[in-house]
Amino acid sequence: MAETLVCSHCGTPAPAGGPPPTWIYSVENGAGCYYCDACARANIRAIEGRLDAAWW
């Protein structure tokens, strides 16, 4: 059974086909994180600035 991906910030599940291209993948403290389009859009400056999600 395939694991369902969820947004690391808000917990929104990804569609059955996997995360859409509007989702962002980031590596924080050695762990991979996916962020949905809403969370990515709201926090894009912090993500591009490589600030950990704990900061935003």
Side-chain angles (χ1 to χ4, degrees), residues 6-38:
V6 296
C7 174
S8 295
H9 193 67
C10 71
T12 300
T22 55
W23 281 41
I24 290 179
Y25 178 78
S26 178
V27 177
E28 297 180 9
N29 297 322
C33 303
Y34 282 94
Y35 297 106
C36 69
D37 51 353

